[in-house]
Amino acid sequence: MFKKILVANRGEIACRVMRTAKKMGIATVAVYSDADARSPHVLMADESVRLGPAPAAESYLKAELILLAAKETGADCIHPGYGFLSERESFARACAEAGIAFVGPPPEAIAAMGDKIESKKLAKAAGVNVVPGFLGEIADTDHAVRIAGEIGYPVMMKASAGGGGKGMRLAWGEQDVRDGFEATKREGLASFGDDRVFIEKFIEQPRHIEIQLLGDQHGSIVYLGERECSIQRRHQKVVEEAPSPFVTPEMRKRMGEQAVALARAVGYYSAGTVELIVSGADTTGEGFYFLEMNTRLQVEHPVTEAITGLDLVEQMIRVAAGERLAFGQDEVQLNGWAIENRVYAEDPYRGFLPSTGRLVRYRAPEAGPAPGSSPQRKLGSLAAFDALRTGETPAFAGVTDDGEAQPYIRIDDGVAEGGEVSMFYDPMIAKLVTWAPTRDGAADLAVAALDRFELEGVGNNIDFLSALMQHPRFRSGALTTGFIAEEFPDGFTGADASEAMIRKLAAVAAVLDMETAWRNASISDKLDDRFIPREDRAVLIGERRYDVSIDGYDRGLLVNLDPQESPLDVVTGWKPGQRQFVATIDDEAITVGVKRTRTGWRLNAHGRTHVVRVMTVRAADLAAHMIEKVPPDLSKFLLCPMPGMLSALHVAEGDAVEAGQPLATVEAMKMENILRAERPGVVGKIHFAPGESMAVDAAILDFV
């Protein structure tokens, strides 16, 4: 077995690999850019080596610097993580020449599958279903328009070396191709060093399903079930789960066997993923098509680990060391359900625009068995075998002493409070993984865990993730890759709150206000020691008003919202100053984010922030007559929606523009964002030039 491993990546995946390496007794080496000098993965490692400046092209993407760091530290193997370098066969070859093991597939397999165009040709030659499309060289935009017309709209334009949702454009007509082809080429070149683009038919109402493979260097290859990755935004996965609610055992077998056959055809070993586009309208189980093979570990690998009990990173390391897989296909069992939610630094209330800045506060929910959960199922044979072989319980299994498993929470992150979310890298903050015996149980646990996140300093998508987990269509399993666009066509404004939830939040606000008032009344040496807080108050939340009274008893508080209904039984240990109100209301657990305002509280729970005012009944009567302040009109300005660089201006001062016309292009997080006119107008003064950096809400130009 290896003695020292260098992780050629950053963030949560670097921490993830190091945790397994330490469990295996392998020393770890971190590499870092200037932006990551104090990042958790650097602090976690036994040794660390600086690569260079913050941009990935000057640090993490420089293979020669990675190899030099490995030689200097005496590392005998390199794990590429998700693959700054995992799709570069030249790096794998260079490792072999240097006598350093590469924890991944052979370079020939990387070359065969890393190029989307060539991999589709190989898949087609092997008899695997592929999506209709054009796999040759595309000369220019006019050529792309002709090809798209021949295939038939809608079509998808993809960077050949792309991945992670970058370098992809959907075209519903000729103008979309003309607008997006060159941008797709530029994104492919900027992110992957390859500007080749291919075009394929876009399957409407598609599901994105992938098969996890694992093979050794002795010819054994198994598939570890499937993952459903259909909840995507701009082709970037947001939620993944295993297994898929759509796939039957028979369909799983057919897809798995095809994936294994394709991997065997290119001599594949290590972990890898075959991605498929599946027609949700085809109930025969035959409507699946090869998209690509990712020759690396996937971001969503934890859900496969959760339902199999395997540590995929450990398996990759053992395969790289020449060990055989210790199990066969018949021993693979899938147990329970796992869901992964990706917590991103982006603002869903502002069109999901990227957010950068310092994590002023970061507290993830506690990982481990869910509070109050009980054992539900025995571990499968894979996990049991792995436990016997290593003398430990399987990684992340959430097991009790008698070998049974119970619902649990897993957090994979690579950030820390006080750290910075940089514009140079992916905006993912953490991955929340929940496992339970049933799909609804895993989703319910995810909602509860999302409520327990504390994250301040950057915009985040926690409310949006909670809304997804509660959405009736998600719960029904009727997923497509267009889910988000279809269900949130006008953007995101917060999850819907039931009447029961509104009542609970009104009770929470009343208890918060009462506890704060009693704390203030207990302060010594006040001017008036005779002050006793009132225990009745008016609570205004949305359009509702509750005249509340509170009675205490030996176990908790009885909150009366309506004399015609039973009071709510609130049990809590909350104290003024705490940022989360953790309680049971009528014996149901609830966690509410708490922030004081001038007239009440901002309460966040279940995917929505509620502004609640608490006052005396007399003040509430008078407040009904107050005039609301009208917000300023900002429609005369084109505001920069995110921190970024102005890469292009499409208009000049004095130009007349129409609604929908491109005005400017802003580059952020390696993505180009085209800003368009919302209505007709005339361009007045332009305040920035291409190449200049801008802060969020900076006025790029104004209209006369």
Side-chain angles (χ1 to χ4, degrees), residues 138 140-142 144-145 148 153 155-159 166-189 195-199 234-235 650 662 665 671-674 676:
I138 300 176
D140 51 30
T141 300
D142 289 337
V145 168
Y153 292 101
V155 298
M156 182 70 77
M157 298 176 288
K158 294 184 180 181
K166 296 182 176 67
M168 301 175 71
R169 289 287 192 284
L170 176 60
W172 293 94
E174 177 179 333
Q175 191 58 47
D176 290 336
V177 177
R178 294 193 179 278
D179 289 344
F181 179 73
E182 290 298 330
T184 304
K185 290 185 68 174
R186 287 194 299 271
E187 284 186 7
L189 184 63
D195 69 351
R196 291 177 302 153
V197 173
F198 69 94
I199 300 177
R234 292 182 66 178
H235 316 297
H650 306 295
T665 299
M671 299 287 284
E672 290 188 349
N673 302 273
I674 299 176
R676 301 177 184 273

Side-chain angles (χ1 to χ4, degrees), residues 61-69 91:
L61 286 173
K62 283 190 170 290
E64 65 275 16
L65 296 181
I66 301 289
L67 282 172
L68 181 61
F91 181 74

Side-chain angles (χ1 to χ4, degrees), residues 281-539:
D282 188 346
T283 58
T284 66
E286 299 291 342
F288 59 88
Y289 305 92
F290 173 78
L291 277 179
E292 61 179 315
M293 183 175 185
N294 282 304
T295 57
R296 53 182 170 84
L297 194 67
Q298 293 280 88
V299 175
E300 55 272 21
H301 75 275
V303 293
T304 296
E305 294 183 325
I307 65 169
T308 62
L310 280 173
D311 182 333
L312 291 182
V313 172
E314 178 181 349
Q315 295 297 322
M316 292 178 71
I317 293 172
R318 292 188 181 280
V319 166
E323 294 186 14
R324 295 178 180 272
L325 293 183
F327 50 87
Q329 190 65 58
D330 293 341
E331 295 176 272
V332 177
Q333 292 185 14
L334 309 183
N335 297 292
W337 218 284
I339 299 176
E340 175 178 292
N341 283 271
R342 300 190 187 189
V343 178
Y344 282 114
E346 62 185 13
D347 191 346
Y349 296 99
R350 294 168 59 94
F352 298 93
L353 295 172
S355 179
T356 60
R358 192 165 302 283
L359 289 170
V360 176
R361 186 167 184 84
Y362 177 72
R363 296 284 192 279
E366 186 177 354
S373 61
S374 57
Q376 298 290 336
R377 49 94 174 167
K378 291 287 186 181
L379 293 174
S381 60
L382 263 180
F385 183 87
D386 198 49
L388 290 172
R389 179 170 56 77
T390 62
E392 301 176 357
T393 53
F396 323 114
V399 295
T400 58
D401 291 340
D402 59 2
E404 294 185 337
Q406 60 194 70
Y408 70 94
I409 297 167
R410 168 178 169 180
I411 301 292
D412 279 19
D413 59 17
V415 299
E417 188 170 279
E420 188 169 352
V421 178
S422 168
M423 64 179 289
F424 297 105
Y425 311 119
D426 187 273
M428 188 167 66
I429 295 172
K431 298 185 305 189
L432 168 68
V433 182
T434 52
W435 180 94
T438 65
R439 186 171 185 267
D440 279 346
D444 288 342
L445 184 54
V447 173
L450 288 164
D451 279 346
R452 294 201 287 275
F453 263 99
E454 293 183 57
L455 211 168
E456 297 177 11
V458 296
N460 63 80
N461 66 338
I462 289 175
D463 282 356
F464 181 66
L465 295 174
S466 184
L468 291 177
M469 292 295 98
Q470 300 171 70
H471 199 288
R473 182 175 161 189
F474 176 82
R475 290 300 181 109
S476 72
L479 311 181
T480 71
T481 55
F483 180 96
I484 291 176
E486 293 160 7
E487 297 301 323
F488 301 93
D490 300 320
F492 179 70
T493 56
D496 294 333
S498 66
E499 180 63 33
M501 176 56 70
I502 294 296
R503 284 173 51 81
K504 289 181 179 180
L505 292 175
V508 168
V511 173
L512 291 170
D513 202 69
M514 185 202 72
E515 292 285 356
T516 302
W518 276 106
R519 170 63 67 86
N520 293 340
S522 67
I523 297 174
S524 61
D525 298 325
K526 300 189 303 299
L527 292 177
D528 185 358
D529 286 333
R530 295 170 298 172
F531 171 72
I532 299 177
R534 294 175 59 88
E535 294 186 357
D536 60 323
R537 51 201 20 91
V539 176

Side-chain angles (χ1 to χ4, degrees), residues 114 386 405 490 515 551 555 593 663 694:
D386 198 49
D490 300 320
E515 292 285 356
D551 299 314
R555 195 174 72 91
L663 301 176
M694 300 173 295

